[in-house]
Amino acid sequence: MSVQDNEKILLMGNPNVGKSVFFTELTGIHAVSSNYAGTTVNFMEGDFKVNKINEQGNQSEKKYSLIDVPGTYSLNPSSPAEAVAAEFVEKGARAVICVLDASNLERNLCLALEIQKHNIPTIYALNLADVASRRGITINIPLLEKELGAPVVSTIAVKKEGIDELRTRLEEVLIQEDPGKYVATALRGGCASCPANRQCKQGDGQGGNRNTWSSAKEIARRVIKTNESHLNPGFIDKLGESTMKPFPGIPIAIVVMAALIGVVVGGGEALRELLLLPLVNEVIVPFFHRLFSSWLSIPEGVFLNILVGDYGIFKISFEWIIALILPYVFLFYVAFSFLEDSGYLPRISVLFDNVMRKLGVQGGGLLYAIMGFGCAVPAIIGTRAATTRKERLVMTAAICFAVPCISQTAALISLTAVFSWWMMPALALLGIFLFILSALITGKLIMRNEKVEPLILEVPNLLLPEPKAYGKKLLVRMKHFMVEAEIPMMFAIVIAAVLKESGVLESVAKVAEPLVSSWLGMPKEAVIGLLLGVIRREMSVAPLLELGLEPLQAFIGGAVSLMYLPCLSVFGILVKEFKLKVAVIISVSTIFTALFVGGLINHAARIFI
């Protein structure tokens, strides 16, 4: 084991066992999110500090790296995330914290037994003890410790119960020169209370998996006592069960989605109008105008206009990024992260499985579409979890054709809100129609005989998110947005300023006038949206705000943007995931569809107006 690996602590467990809460409590607020080398799988990493006392009685601080390993059910990987988890363990570590779900112990024990094969000092956190208690489940913790041959700490992470004891037990492992007594022994020496001293060590192939599963089942049988008379489901438990049934599950889902839209649209508009627009127009932009024109004495002309003109970098960058995009993005992540951490999103997949299967995909495909509203890139990467290549292509095409990212959605809201309340819902209905149509056409064109597998999806407990972990996730996502989205947007804004002030935009507009003005019915200057939309999707909308459009033109501009070419980052991930041919086909199809449908709307509307 290298020195670097000897300073790592792995936080492991099945998905949805509460690892992120432990990570937040053990590392504080300072953490970074990284992609694992050679993959798009990310993990969280933070510092865990231990005070050590040497032989002379002097105290020193030792810093370890705590890694929140991607959730996995097994170290025999069946997905990129599970492969990353397995590789972390293979490389070794100073210690492992293995989080177990007390309400689903048997399933979790399989991973625990597999980890033991690697002889790493391990501590088990038996989490969700309150959920288990409400279900009438009692676990004999001393016996479980004996079975696993390692410490087991009962925890309720969201209430911070057991966290201090877990921290203490972990520090005991780390300060030991020879932490061998913390190396779990059940696999190496046979399960402690097994009459046959059964060797459960995972072998190669299916037989080894059967041994591990049978061992997990036996241990669970011995340590778990279920008393149905002590069942005490609370309101959240009952609500969780209700959300899985068609009634009232579907009405609840509609209310939840309506609330999500209300928070993002209504709250974003309020932030924009009451706080951000006055801040930008009355404070920030005037400051930079005085800075360049008066204090730095830059003479009027092309250079000053590029800086603070109508399309000036230090004007539209603040108007578009801060006042136009940021409030909606922030509130979307606030609401989406809450639904994600509460365990509600998988329930939507179950509820709408029958509907999605008619489109040729499992209900879980709806999660990719919801992810696409955040950003299409992780949504397309997420389709790796689909059971067939057909499902991946169907969902990827639907996302590219009809699911705007949150930045683009924010721009569309700003574009349509000034005209009529019905315009944004009309665009949403158009998006739903295009989503269904693109999924059906893609499904018919490729692998027609490929059947949709039954939906197998773990539905986590419905819980209130832990505030600290929730806040950290929100902070990380906003940092990612600022880095990954704002920088390309600034690049697009610089291009817009240069094109406008150099006269190139006017020349391009004249060439594209038959398409932009005659066919789409837009001002010829709208061509800038088609140019910048290639860099970032929201940039196909933002320039339209400066053109004083009529209501029909605004709707056409929004419709074209909705279907328009995926941005460069999306094109790049399409090439990586499906090769160049598929990326080109999808991109050309979206461009043609956007311009064709936009023109149809224009000419059809003018017939009836």
Side-chain angles (χ1 to χ4, degrees), residues 367-390:
L367 290 182
Y368 312 137
I370 295 173
M371 288 173 61
F373 281 103
C375 178
V377 172
I380 293 170
I381 293 171
T383 62
R384 292 174 180 173
T387 56
T388 65
R389 178 176 171 81
K390 175 182 177 178

Side-chain angles (χ1 to χ4, degrees), residues 39-294:
T39 75
T40 53
V41 178
N42 63 0
F43 63 91
M44 296 291 292
E45 184 173 8
D47 293 336
F48 181 80
K49 300 175 182 177
V50 177
N51 291 323
K52 286 189 172 184
I53 300 177
N54 58 25
E55 294 178 355
Q56 290 75 34
N58 297 322
Q59 182 172 295
S60 62
E61 185 178 75
K62 173 70 174 177
K63 185 184 295 184
Y64 294 88
S65 178
L66 180 64
I67 296 174
D68 187 1
V69 177
T72 180
Y73 295 106
S74 172
L75 296 182
N76 285 330
S78 59
S79 70
E82 291 189 343
V84 166
E87 192 164 344
F88 267 121
V89 179
E90 289 287 347
K91 288 184 175 181
R94 184 68 172 82
V96 172
I97 302 172
C98 182
V99 183
L100 306 174
D101 180 355
S103 64
N104 292 287
L105 184 60
E106 180 181 324
R107 184 197 65 210
N108 285 238
L109 283 173
C110 186
L111 176 64
L113 296 179
E114 289 181 356
I115 291 173
Q116 290 184 3
K117 173 185 175 183
H118 298 272
N119 294 332
I120 303 173
T122 303
I123 297 173
Y124 297 96
L126 187 63
N127 197 33
L128 300 170
D130 53 339
V131 177
S133 177
R134 291 198 300 267
R135 296 179 180 178
I137 297 172
T138 302
I139 296 175
N140 187 330
I141 293 179
L143 180 56
L144 181 59
E145 283 190 336
K146 188 177 179 181
E147 293 284 353
L148 293 175
V152 176
V153 179
S154 178
T155 63
I156 306 175
V158 294
K159 298 179 181 178
K160 302 183 181 180
E161 294 183 14
I163 297 293
D164 289 340
E165 182 183 353
L166 180 68
R167 186 191 301 272
T168 300
R169 301 301 289 269
L170 178 59
E171 289 176 350
E172 289 176 1
V173 175
L174 298 176
I175 64 176
Q176 296 291 326
E177 294 297 330
D178 180 16
K181 69 175 183 176
Y182 289 95
V183 175
T185 57
L187 285 185
R188 296 183 293 110
C191 297
S193 59
C194 177
N197 195 32
R198 184 181 57 255
Q199 297 294 315
C200 308
K201 184 175 180 180
Q202 182 181 353
D204 296 328
Q206 191 175 6
N209 289 332
R210 282 200 297 267
N211 286 338
T212 305
W213 276 109
S214 62
S215 300
K217 185 174 183 178
E218 282 298 314
I219 294 173
R221 182 184 63 79
R222 286 191 288 271
V223 303
I224 293 176
K225 179 184 290 186
T226 303
N227 189 339
E228 295 186 1
S229 64
H230 289 175
L231 286 175
N232 184 29
F235 171 75
I236 292 182
D237 297 307
K238 294 176 182 178
L239 180 62
E241 290 295 324
S242 298
T243 58
M244 297 283 290
K245 302 172 183 177
F247 185 83
I250 292 178
I252 290 174
I254 294 172
V255 170
V256 168
M257 291 299 105
L260 175 65
I261 294 170
V263 167
V264 175
V265 177
E269 189 68 16
L271 275 176
R272 182 172 179 260
E273 294 293 334
L274 299 178
L275 177 63
L276 297 178
L277 274 178
L279 176 66
V280 168
N281 292 332
E282 298 173 18
V283 179
I284 297 177
V285 173
F287 168 79
F288 280 100
H289 195 280
R290 287 194 300 271
L291 173 65
F292 293 118
S293 62
S294 299

Side-chain angles (χ1 to χ4, degrees), residues 230-466:
H230 289 175
L231 286 175
N232 184 29
F235 171 75
I236 292 182
D237 297 307
K238 294 176 182 178
L239 180 62
E241 290 295 324
S242 298
T243 58
M244 297 283 290
K245 302 172 183 177
F247 185 83
I250 292 178
I252 290 174
I254 294 172
V255 170
V256 168
M257 291 299 105
L260 175 65
I261 294 170
V263 167
V264 175
V265 177
E269 189 68 16
L271 275 176
R272 182 172 179 260
E273 294 293 334
L274 299 178
L275 177 63
L276 297 178
L277 274 178
L279 176 66
V280 168
N281 292 332
E282 298 173 18
V283 179
I284 297 177
V285 173
F287 168 79
F288 280 100
H289 195 280
R290 287 194 300 271
L291 173 65
F292 293 118
S293 62
S294 299
W295 300 342
L296 297 181
S297 301
I298 297 176
E300 292 189 5
V302 172
F303 184 57
L304 183 62
N305 288 339
I306 288 176
L307 293 175
V308 290
D310 291 339
Y311 273 79
I313 297 169
F314 290 89
K315 181 175 185 291
I316 59 176
S317 61
F318 296 111
E319 290 180 353
W320 292 358
I321 295 176
I322 294 180
L324 170 64
I325 304 295
L326 192 60
Y328 302 103
V329 171
F330 172 71
L331 289 174
F332 172 81
Y333 282 133
V334 166
F336 182 80
S337 298
F338 181 89
L339 294 179
E340 187 177 46
D341 281 11
S342 70
Y344 180 73
L345 291 181
R347 288 165 164 79
I348 295 179
S349 298
V350 174
L351 282 173
F352 292 95
D353 183 51
N354 287 335
V355 175
M356 296 300 292
R357 290 174 74 86
K358 296 183 186 302
L359 302 181
V361 297
Q362 293 179 341
L366 194 58
L367 290 182
Y368 312 137
I370 295 173
M371 288 173 61
F373 281 103
C375 178
V377 172
I380 293 170
I381 293 171
T383 62
R384 292 174 180 173
T387 56
T388 65
R389 178 176 171 81
K390 175 182 177 178
E391 287 188 54
R392 290 202 68 193
L393 286 169
V394 167
M395 287 308 306
T396 296
I399 289 168
C400 289
F401 270 93
V403 179
C405 68
I406 184 55
S407 300
Q408 187 181 16
T409 302
L412 290 170
I413 293 170
S414 297
L415 177 66
T416 58
V418 297
F419 293 104
S420 175
W421 66 267
W422 59 263
M423 195 173 290
M424 192 63 201
L427 278 178
L429 289 175
L430 176 62
I432 293 172
F433 172 76
L434 290 169
F435 183 91
I436 294 172
L437 187 63
S438 59
L440 290 174
I441 292 175
T442 306
K444 293 294 183 183
L445 292 177
I446 58 172
M447 307 175 197
R448 288 182 242 179
N449 297 325
E450 199 170 85
K451 295 182 179 179
V452 181
E453 297 292 331
L455 176 64
I456 301 175
L457 178 70
E458 179 188 9
V459 179
N461 298 304
L462 194 66
L463 299 169
L464 287 176
E466 195 278 323

